[in-house]
Amino acid sequence: MVVAAALPLVAEYGAAVTTSQIARAAGIGEATIFRAFKDKDEVLDACVAEAVGTDHVLRELATISLDEPLDVRLTEAAEALRAHMERMGTVVGALHASGHLHPGRGGPDGREGRDGGRGEGRDGQHGAGPPPDARAQSFLALRDGVVELIEPDRDACRLSPEKVATAFLGLLFTRLHTPAPGTEAPLSPEELIAVLLHGSLKHPGSDR
């Protein structure tokens, strides 16, 4: 409850958010926060862990109906993953900009600090970031979630659902990067799915 209430505030204020603001948003007394967390830094670290974690988006993927056509399933998955990546970028970016995540403390991607070692936080523990292989683990979890959406159409696919899911995530994550000025706008979710499932060549006798 505390982390859920804190996330939008952290996205807006970064490390400048106060525990009184979080308590008001959660509808609890400020003292209640410190029964669960040692200090505000610990709340912020929990927010980073929630933002970069995949549990929420995997639950959303699991709610997509397998009775829908494959292109509809993947479009819904693309929207869920886009929202997940945007939330992660907003929360982590706000904390970096406001100084909570900095070299020597460790970040959400597990990068090293200035001293060449892993950034350590309070009590000598690693900072807000997950272990170095966490991004690979997260990718595999997301891939497996997408594989489940593709599995009903396994026989219709030229590639395995695992390969289709990997290509899907690669296209999606590339689309989420901010395009350089003067370049084409990124693919819409519908365009991305069309390229993935049908390629980029027009069918003979068709405008599509």
Side-chain angles (χ1 to χ4, degrees), residues 175-202:
R175 172 186 176 270
L176 293 174
H177 291 163
T178 302
T183 60
E184 289 283 339
L187 295 174
S188 68
E190 292 77 13
E191 290 172 332
L192 185 151
I193 302 307
V195 169
L196 177 71
L197 297 182
H198 308 297
S200 57
L201 296 178
K202 294 180 180 179

mmCIF file of all heavy atoms in Angstrom, residues 175-202:
data_model
loop_
_atom_site.group_PDB
_atom_site.id
_atom_site.type_symbol
_atom_site.label_atom_id
_atom_site.label_comp_id
_atom_site.label_asym_id
_atom_site.label_seq_id
_atom_site.Cartn_x
_atom_site.Cartn_y
_atom_site.Cartn_z
ATOM 1 N N ARG A 175 11.285 0.288 -30.306
ATOM 2 C CA ARG A 175 10.264 1.304 -30.548
ATOM 3 C C ARG A 175 10.198 2.309 -29.399
ATOM 4 O O ARG A 175 9.905 3.485 -29.599
ATOM 5 C CB ARG A 175 8.900 0.632 -30.703
ATOM 6 C CG ARG A 175 7.714 1.594 -30.767
ATOM 7 C CD ARG A 175 6.396 0.847 -30.784
ATOM 8 N NE ARG A 175 5.280 1.774 -30.750
ATOM 9 C CZ ARG A 175 4.715 2.221 -29.633
ATOM 10 N NH1 ARG A 175 5.182 1.816 -28.461
ATOM 11 N NH2 ARG A 175 3.705 3.062 -29.669
ATOM 12 N N LEU A 176 10.484 1.848 -28.176
ATOM 13 C CA LEU A 176 10.346 2.718 -27.015
ATOM 14 C C LEU A 176 11.471 3.728 -26.889
ATOM 15 O O LEU A 176 11.359 4.674 -26.112
ATOM 16 C CB LEU A 176 10.267 1.866 -25.738
ATOM 17 C CG LEU A 176 9.004 1.002 -25.609
ATOM 18 C CD1 LEU A 176 9.102 0.095 -24.399
ATOM 19 C CD2 LEU A 176 7.759 1.876 -25.512
ATOM 20 N N HIS A 177 12.569 3.540 -27.615
ATOM 21 C CA HIS A 177 13.659 4.511 -27.570
ATOM 22 C C HIS A 177 13.220 5.815 -28.235
ATOM 23 O O HIS A 177 12.527 5.816 -29.248
ATOM 24 C CB HIS A 177 14.911 3.973 -28.279
ATOM 25 C CG HIS A 177 15.544 2.835 -27.543
ATOM 26 N ND1 HIS A 177 16.444 1.988 -28.137
ATOM 27 C CD2 HIS A 177 15.400 2.403 -26.271
ATOM 28 C CE1 HIS A 177 16.839 1.079 -27.266
ATOM 29 N NE2 HIS A 177 16.219 1.304 -26.123
ATOM 30 N N THR A 178 13.613 6.940 -27.661
ATOM 31 C CA THR A 178 13.269 8.241 -28.225
ATOM 32 C C THR A 178 13.940 8.407 -29.582
ATOM 33 O O THR A 178 15.167 8.300 -29.688
ATOM 34 C CB THR A 178 13.727 9.376 -27.300
ATOM 35 O OG1 THR A 178 13.116 9.197 -26.013
ATOM 36 C CG2 THR A 178 13.328 10.730 -27.869
ATOM 37 N N PRO A 179 13.170 8.637 -30.662
ATOM 38 C CA PRO A 179 13.783 8.758 -31.982
ATOM 39 C C PRO A 179 14.604 10.033 -32.104
ATOM 40 O O PRO A 179 14.308 11.044 -31.465
ATOM 41 C CB PRO A 179 12.570 8.787 -32.926
ATOM 42 C CG PRO A 179 11.443 9.313 -32.088
ATOM 43 C CD PRO A 179 11.703 8.802 -30.697
ATOM 44 N N ALA A 180 15.641 9.981 -32.914
ATOM 45 C CA ALA A 180 16.458 11.165 -33.150
ATOM 46 C C ALA A 180 15.653 12.193 -33.934
ATOM 47 O O ALA A 180 14.768 11.830 -34.722
ATOM 48 C CB ALA A 180 17.717 10.777 -33.910
ATOM 49 N N PRO A 181 15.936 13.485 -33.731
ATOM 50 C CA PRO A 181 15.210 14.516 -34.475
ATOM 51 C C PRO A 181 15.317 14.290 -35.988
ATOM 52 O O PRO A 181 16.381 13.957 -36.505
ATOM 53 C CB PRO A 181 15.924 15.805 -34.055
ATOM 54 C CG PRO A 181 16.533 15.491 -32.728
ATOM 55 C CD PRO A 181 16.924 14.046 -32.799
ATOM 56 N N GLY A 182 14.188 14.444 -36.675
ATOM 57 C CA GLY A 182 14.182 14.303 -38.119
ATOM 58 C C GLY A 182 14.006 12.882 -38.619
ATOM 59 O O GLY A 182 13.919 12.661 -39.824
ATOM 60 N N THR A 183 13.961 11.914 -37.695
ATOM 61 C CA THR A 183 13.770 10.528 -38.113
ATOM 62 C C THR A 183 12.293 10.174 -38.102
ATOM 63 O O THR A 183 11.469 10.905 -37.560
ATOM 64 C CB THR A 183 14.534 9.564 -37.190
ATOM 65 O OG1 THR A 183 14.047 9.719 -35.844
ATOM 66 C CG2 THR A 183 16.025 9.866 -37.213
ATOM 67 N N GLU A 184 11.986 9.043 -38.701
ATOM 68 C CA GLU A 184 10.604 8.579 -38.748
ATOM 69 C C GLU A 184 10.078 8.333 -37.340
ATOM 70 O O GLU A 184 10.817 7.939 -36.439
ATOM 71 C CB GLU A 184 10.518 7.277 -39.549
ATOM 72 C CG GLU A 184 10.726 7.441 -41.043
ATOM 73 C CD GLU A 184 9.487 8.007 -41.730
ATOM 74 O OE1 GLU A 184 8.394 7.907 -41.161
ATOM 75 O OE2 GLU A 184 9.639 8.545 -42.836
ATOM 76 N N ALA A 185 8.768 8.563 -37.177
ATOM 77 C CA ALA A 185 8.139 8.239 -35.902
ATOM 78 C C ALA A 185 8.214 6.733 -35.674
ATOM 79 O O ALA A 185 8.238 5.958 -36.640
ATOM 80 C CB ALA A 185 6.686 8.705 -35.903
ATOM 81 N N PRO A 186 8.285 6.290 -34.424
ATOM 82 C CA PRO A 186 8.361 4.849 -34.173
ATOM 83 C C PRO A 186 7.092 4.140 -34.627
ATOM 84 O O PRO A 186 6.035 4.754 -34.790
ATOM 85 C CB PRO A 186 8.518 4.769 -32.645
ATOM 86 C CG PRO A 186 7.958 6.056 -32.135
ATOM 87 C CD PRO A 186 8.272 7.078 -33.185
ATOM 88 N N LEU A 187 7.205 2.838 -34.831
ATOM 89 C CA LEU A 187 6.053 2.043 -35.225
ATOM 90 C C LEU A 187 4.959 2.119 -34.161
ATOM 91 O O LEU A 187 5.253 2.085 -32.963
ATOM 92 C CB LEU A 187 6.459 0.581 -35.408
ATOM 93 C CG LEU A 187 7.437 0.241 -36.534
ATOM 94 C CD1 LEU A 187 7.818 -1.226 -36.454
ATOM 95 C CD2 LEU A 187 6.847 0.573 -37.886
ATOM 96 N N SER A 188 3.730 2.196 -34.600
ATOM 97 C CA SER A 188 2.613 2.067 -33.677
ATOM 98 C C SER A 188 2.529 0.603 -33.255
ATOM 99 O O SER A 188 3.089 -0.277 -33.938
ATOM 100 C CB SER A 188 1.305 2.485 -34.339
ATOM 101 O OG SER A 188 0.959 1.554 -35.350
ATOM 102 N N PRO A 189 1.837 0.283 -32.156
ATOM 103 C CA PRO A 189 1.702 -1.135 -31.780
ATOM 104 C C PRO A 189 1.119 -1.979 -32.911
ATOM 105 O O PRO A 189 1.575 -3.096 -33.170
ATOM 106 C CB PRO A 189 0.765 -1.088 -30.574
ATOM 107 C CG PRO A 189 1.007 0.258 -29.962
ATOM 108 C CD PRO A 189 1.247 1.166 -31.139
ATOM 109 N N GLU A 190 0.123 -1.422 -33.617
ATOM 110 C CA GLU A 190 -0.495 -2.167 -34.716
ATOM 111 C C GLU A 190 0.497 -2.421 -35.852
ATOM 112 O O GLU A 190 0.537 -3.517 -36.435
ATOM 113 C CB GLU A 190 -1.708 -1.407 -35.241
ATOM 114 C CG GLU A 190 -2.876 -1.326 -34.270
ATOM 115 C CD GLU A 190 -2.675 -0.290 -33.167
ATOM 116 O OE1 GLU A 190 -1.743 0.551 -33.292
ATOM 117 O OE2 GLU A 190 -3.435 -0.310 -32.184
ATOM 118 N N GLU A 191 1.307 -1.401 -36.194
ATOM 119 C CA GLU A 191 2.313 -1.571 -37.239
ATOM 120 C C GLU A 191 3.375 -2.584 -36.824
ATOM 121 O O GLU A 191 3.833 -3.401 -37.631
ATOM 122 C CB GLU A 191 2.970 -0.223 -37.559
ATOM 123 C CG GLU A 191 2.059 0.759 -38.274
ATOM 124 C CD GLU A 191 2.662 2.134 -38.400
ATOM 125 O OE1 GLU A 191 3.495 2.515 -37.527
ATOM 126 O OE2 GLU A 191 2.322 2.839 -39.365
ATOM 127 N N LEU A 192 3.780 -2.517 -35.558
ATOM 128 C CA LEU A 192 4.781 -3.449 -35.047
ATOM 129 C C LEU A 192 4.285 -4.884 -35.184
ATOM 130 O O LEU A 192 5.021 -5.768 -35.651
ATOM 131 C CB LEU A 192 5.090 -3.110 -33.589
ATOM 132 C CG LEU A 192 6.199 -3.890 -32.894
ATOM 133 C CD1 LEU A 192 6.826 -3.021 -31.814
ATOM 134 C CD2 LEU A 192 5.663 -5.161 -32.251
ATOM 135 N N ILE A 193 3.032 -5.133 -34.778
ATOM 136 C CA ILE A 193 2.479 -6.479 -34.840
ATOM 137 C C ILE A 193 2.335 -6.925 -36.295
ATOM 138 O O ILE A 193 2.588 -8.088 -36.633
ATOM 139 C CB ILE A 193 1.117 -6.544 -34.127
ATOM 140 C CG1 ILE A 193 1.254 -6.099 -32.660
ATOM 141 C CG2 ILE A 193 0.546 -7.956 -34.195
ATOM 142 C CD1 ILE A 193 2.321 -6.813 -31.887
ATOM 143 N N ALA A 194 1.937 -6.002 -37.176
ATOM 144 C CA ALA A 194 1.781 -6.351 -38.590
ATOM 145 C C ALA A 194 3.117 -6.776 -39.195
ATOM 146 O O ALA A 194 3.190 -7.762 -39.949
ATOM 147 C CB ALA A 194 1.199 -5.170 -39.360
ATOM 148 N N VAL A 195 4.189 -6.048 -38.886
ATOM 149 C CA VAL A 195 5.520 -6.407 -39.396
ATOM 150 C C VAL A 195 5.960 -7.751 -38.823
ATOM 151 O O VAL A 195 6.498 -8.607 -39.535
ATOM 152 C CB VAL A 195 6.544 -5.308 -39.063
ATOM 153 C CG1 VAL A 195 7.968 -5.785 -39.343
ATOM 154 C CG2 VAL A 195 6.248 -4.045 -39.858
ATOM 155 N N LEU A 196 5.714 -7.953 -37.534
ATOM 156 C CA LEU A 196 6.124 -9.196 -36.879
ATOM 157 C C LEU A 196 5.415 -10.402 -37.497
ATOM 158 O O LEU A 196 6.045 -11.431 -37.774
ATOM 159 C CB LEU A 196 5.818 -9.115 -35.387
ATOM 160 C CG LEU A 196 6.120 -10.382 -34.572
ATOM 161 C CD1 LEU A 196 7.623 -10.582 -34.444
ATOM 162 C CD2 LEU A 196 5.488 -10.295 -33.179
ATOM 163 N N LEU A 197 4.114 -10.283 -37.701
ATOM 164 C CA LEU A 197 3.328 -11.432 -38.136
ATOM 165 C C LEU A 197 3.283 -11.609 -39.649
ATOM 166 O O LEU A 197 3.156 -12.728 -40.146
ATOM 167 C CB LEU A 197 1.899 -11.328 -37.595
ATOM 168 C CG LEU A 197 1.745 -11.342 -36.077
ATOM 169 C CD1 LEU A 197 0.270 -11.278 -35.698
ATOM 170 C CD2 LEU A 197 2.390 -12.580 -35.468
ATOM 171 N N HIS A 198 3.392 -10.495 -40.395
ATOM 172 C CA HIS A 198 3.189 -10.578 -41.840
ATOM 173 C C HIS A 198 4.368 -10.053 -42.657
ATOM 174 O O HIS A 198 4.306 -10.061 -43.887
ATOM 175 C CB HIS A 198 1.924 -9.802 -42.235
ATOM 176 C CG HIS A 198 0.728 -10.199 -41.440
ATOM 177 N ND1 HIS A 198 0.193 -11.472 -41.483
ATOM 178 C CD2 HIS A 198 -0.046 -9.500 -40.548
ATOM 179 C CE1 HIS A 198 -0.863 -11.539 -40.673
ATOM 180 N NE2 HIS A 198 -1.010 -10.369 -40.094
ATOM 181 N N GLY A 199 5.425 -9.587 -42.011
ATOM 182 C CA GLY A 199 6.565 -9.054 -42.729
ATOM 183 C C GLY A 199 6.294 -7.650 -43.237
ATOM 184 O O GLY A 199 5.273 -7.036 -42.930
ATOM 185 N N SER A 200 7.213 -7.128 -44.020
ATOM 186 C CA SER A 200 7.095 -5.755 -44.513
ATOM 187 C C SER A 200 6.817 -5.675 -46.004
ATOM 188 O O SER A 200 6.720 -4.580 -46.563
ATOM 189 C CB SER A 200 8.373 -4.966 -44.188
ATOM 190 O OG SER A 200 9.499 -5.600 -44.747
ATOM 191 N N LEU A 201 6.698 -6.818 -46.684
ATOM 192 C CA LEU A 201 6.414 -6.823 -48.108
ATOM 193 C C LEU A 201 4.915 -6.899 -48.354
ATOM 194 O O LEU A 201 4.194 -7.594 -47.636
ATOM 195 C CB LEU A 201 7.096 -8.017 -48.794
ATOM 196 C CG LEU A 201 8.631 -8.035 -48.766
ATOM 197 C CD1 LEU A 201 9.146 -9.305 -49.441
ATOM 198 C CD2 LEU A 201 9.195 -6.799 -49.454
ATOM 199 N N LYS A 202 4.451 -6.193 -49.363
ATOM 200 C CA LYS A 202 3.041 -6.259 -49.724
ATOM 201 C C LYS A 202 2.722 -7.614 -50.325
ATOM 202 O O LYS A 202 3.542 -8.206 -51.034
ATOM 203 C CB LYS A 202 2.688 -5.168 -50.750
ATOM 204 C CG LYS A 202 2.795 -3.754 -50.224
ATOM 205 C CD LYS A 202 2.416 -2.766 -51.312
ATOM 206 C CE LYS A 202 2.507 -1.314 -50.820
ATOM 207 N NZ LYS A 202 2.151 -0.343 -51.888
#
